């Protein structure tokens, strides 16, 4: 039988259009306009960089599961962390206020990487998943520099990105792209374990969040974003400023991009890299008033 391609490969002109006018990609996504409760929309995967047999598989597995929320679930906020004390200080008061207002049963777990190796956000988050699993029904993976202004921390039935509007005093306000899946993500524990968590292999900056989205989509979970979600995005400290990709990217960025595309070409099996292969050494545990911090060697 002659099957229609699920995701037609765009021609070169369309690629340019999608690159500079991302909202056009929405038209290519069959679930682009699907919405629940007038506020939550599926994260789109209509991104021309992802056209491959694997992305077609992802599309095939996308079923419009509606989003709902349940109450009385136990939340662990997992914050990957290194050298951002000032950000953590600024984050905790508004975060704990929001959680209390919403009546959430929560704990906050800061997972700090010891100095030495390049930062590994995905692996730190895996450590948080593993460490807190006995007391959690769902997690919120939370960047330390994302300060909630309007945020819904309830327990979602499908993975949910909480951040959409980025407000900032230093940069102009902006809207996250519809295929972005990072910043603050709430996800059920069973969904995290079903996809084997994050990859442990993204060192330095970038792309581990894309891989986590692909893992969830490949497992048939429909990921959402909250169109009302608004956060302040604090500027990174000078020493941790990410160099914007120029003509020649730093080696770790090229490595991370290449790894992500190997996944999209079906050359990496998430079952072989993630929570099941996680190794780390617990160096210290500290209990503070509203949060716990663990320091780990990766
Ligand atoms: N992070 C950290 N120390 C670092 C790099 C990253 O604590 O040296 C954590 C922190 O939670 C931060 C998140 O990883 O919010 C994302 O990193 P970053 O802010 O550099 O990325 P951006 O979102 O600014 O591109
Ligand atoms: Mn940042």
């Amino acid at each position: 039988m002659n099957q229609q391609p699920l995701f037609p490969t765009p021609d070169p002109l369309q690629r340019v259009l999608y690159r500079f006018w991302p909202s056009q990609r929405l038209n290519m996504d069959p679930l682009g306009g699907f919405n629940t409760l007038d506020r939550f929309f599926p994260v789109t995967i209509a991104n021309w960089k992802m056209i491959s047999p694997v992305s077609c598989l992802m599309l095939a597995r996308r079923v419009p599961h509606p989003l709902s929320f349940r109450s009385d679930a136990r939340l662990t906020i997992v914050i990957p962390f290194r050298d951002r004390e000032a950000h953590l200080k600024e984050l905790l008061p508004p975060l704990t206020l929001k959680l209390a207002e919403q009546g959430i049963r929560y704990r906050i777990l800061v997972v700090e990487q010891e100095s030495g190796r390049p930062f590994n956000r995905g692996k730190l988050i895996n450590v948080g998943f593993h460490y807190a699993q006995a007391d959690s029904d769902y997690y919120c993976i939370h960047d330390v520099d994302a300060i909630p202004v309007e945020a819904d921390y309830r327990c979602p039935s499908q993975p949910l990105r909480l951040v959409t509007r980025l407000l900032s005093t230093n940069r102009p306000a902006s809207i996250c792209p519809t295929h972005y899946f990072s910043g603050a993500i709430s996800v059920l524990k069973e969904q995290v374990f079903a996809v084997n968590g994050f990859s442990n292999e993204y060192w330095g900056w970038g792309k581990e969040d894309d891989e986590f989205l692909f893992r969830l989509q490949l497992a048939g979970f429909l990921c959402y974003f909250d169109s009302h979600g608004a956060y302040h995005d604090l500027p990174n400290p000078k020493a941790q400023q990410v160099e914007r990709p120029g003509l020649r990217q730093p080696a770790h960025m090229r490595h991370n991009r290449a790894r992500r595309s190997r996944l999209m070409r079906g050359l990496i099996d998430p079952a072989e890299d993630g929570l099941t292969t996680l190794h780390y050494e617990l160096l210290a545990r500290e209990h503070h008033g509203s949060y716990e911090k663990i320091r780990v060697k990766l």
Side-chain angles (χ1 to χ4, degrees):
M1 202 174 79
N2 194 10
Q3 271 199 328
Q4 276 290 100
L6 282 160
F7 197 95
T9 304
D11 62 35
L13 188 70
Q14 278 176 314
R15 282 178 181 239
V16 173
L17 198 67
Y18 297 144
R19 174 76 182 80
F20 294 103
W21 192 5
S23 64
Q24 284 301 303
R25 294 176 189 151
L26 266 176
N27 304 335
M28 283 184 73
D29 188 334
L31 294 182
F34 181 76
N35 105 40
T36 319
L37 313 172
D38 273 340
R39 158 168 186 175
F40 303 97
F41 297 85
V43 168
T44 74
I45 63 170
N47 179 343
W48 66 270
K49 287 174 240 162
M50 297 169 13
I51 314 298
S52 73
V54 178
S55 41
C56 288
L57 190 66
M58 229 158 28
L59 265 180
R61 290 186 182 165
R62 269 168 25 120
V63 177
H65 301 291
L67 180 71
S68 59
F69 294 92
R70 67 180 244 234
S71 53
D72 213 34
R74 297 161 305 161
L75 167 65
T76 297
I77 306 243
V78 177
I79 304 179
F81 184 86
R82 183 158 77 185
D83 297 334
R84 299 268 183 123
E85 291 301 338
H87 284 176
L88 186 60
K89 237 187 185 147
E90 199 161 336
L91 168 65
L92 290 167
L95 177 60
T96 50
L97 183 67
K98 281 266 174 306
L99 293 163
E101 278 171 2
Q102 293 169 23
I104 311 280
R105 291 168 68 189
Y106 71 91
R107 86 195 254 207
I108 297 175
L109 179 65
V110 177
V111 188
E112 179 177 36
Q113 183 178 342
E114 71 150 7
S115 54
R117 303 189 76 176
F119 193 71
N120 188 328
R121 181 172 173 274
K123 198 167 178 184
L124 287 174
I125 293 167
N126 277 346
V127 170
F129 290 153
H130 174 260
Y131 183 84
Q133 62 180 314
D135 317 304
S136 316
D137 300 310
Y138 70 116
Y139 302 102
C140 183
I141 305 155
H142 211 298
D143 279 357
V144 74
D145 54 10
I147 312 295
V149 175
E150 190 169 348
D152 188 337
Y153 288 100
R154 287 175 302 161
C155 178
S157 58
Q158 301 291 318
L160 175 66
R161 183 191 91 203
L162 307 189
V163 182
T164 291
R165 276 186 301 139
L166 294 179
L167 320 164
S168 185
T169 41
N170 296 328
R171 280 187 263 175
S174 61
I175 303 278
C176 298
T178 56
H179 58 269
Y180 172 76
F181 204 63
S182 204
I185 304 286
S186 290
V187 56
L188 286 172
K189 180 171 72 176
E190 64 247 35
Q191 292 165 346
V192 162
F193 280 81
V195 304
N196 204 15
F198 276 69
S199 164
N200 298 311
E201 302 300 332
Y202 287 77
W203 298 90
W205 183 88
K207 309 302 175 206
E208 79 295 335
D209 43 6
D210 287 1
E211 172 156 346
F212 186 58
L213 169 64
F214 299 158
R215 286 175 175 228
L216 291 163
Q217 310 260 32
L218 282 169
F221 302 119
L222 186 63
C223 299
Y224 280 83
F225 66 89
D226 178 1
S227 65
H228 292 197
Y231 282 69
H232 281 292
D233 179 24
L234 300 180
N236 294 352
K238 270 243 151 50
Q240 296 175 11
Q241 212 72 263
V242 181
E243 306 139 69
R244 283 292 144 213
L247 280 181
R248 183 100 183 127
Q249 295 188 345
H252 69 90
M253 277 196 204
R254 275 182 282 133
H255 175 271
N256 290 355
R257 288 186 84 93
R259 188 172 173 89
R260 183 191 58 173
S261 36
R262 281 207 303 283
L263 177 84
M264 292 315 290
R265 299 205 308 273
L267 303 175
I268 290 177
D269 182 355
E272 288 166 10
D273 164 26
L275 285 165
T276 49
T277 56
L278 174 68
H279 296 285
Y280 66 96
E281 194 184 326
L282 186 60
L283 301 175
R285 302 164 58 163
E286 297 167 15
H287 286 273
H288 299 265
S290 56
Y291 70 100
E292 179 179 354
K293 189 199 260 184
I294 57 175
R295 195 154 57 79
V296 295
K297 181 175 176 175
L298 300 182

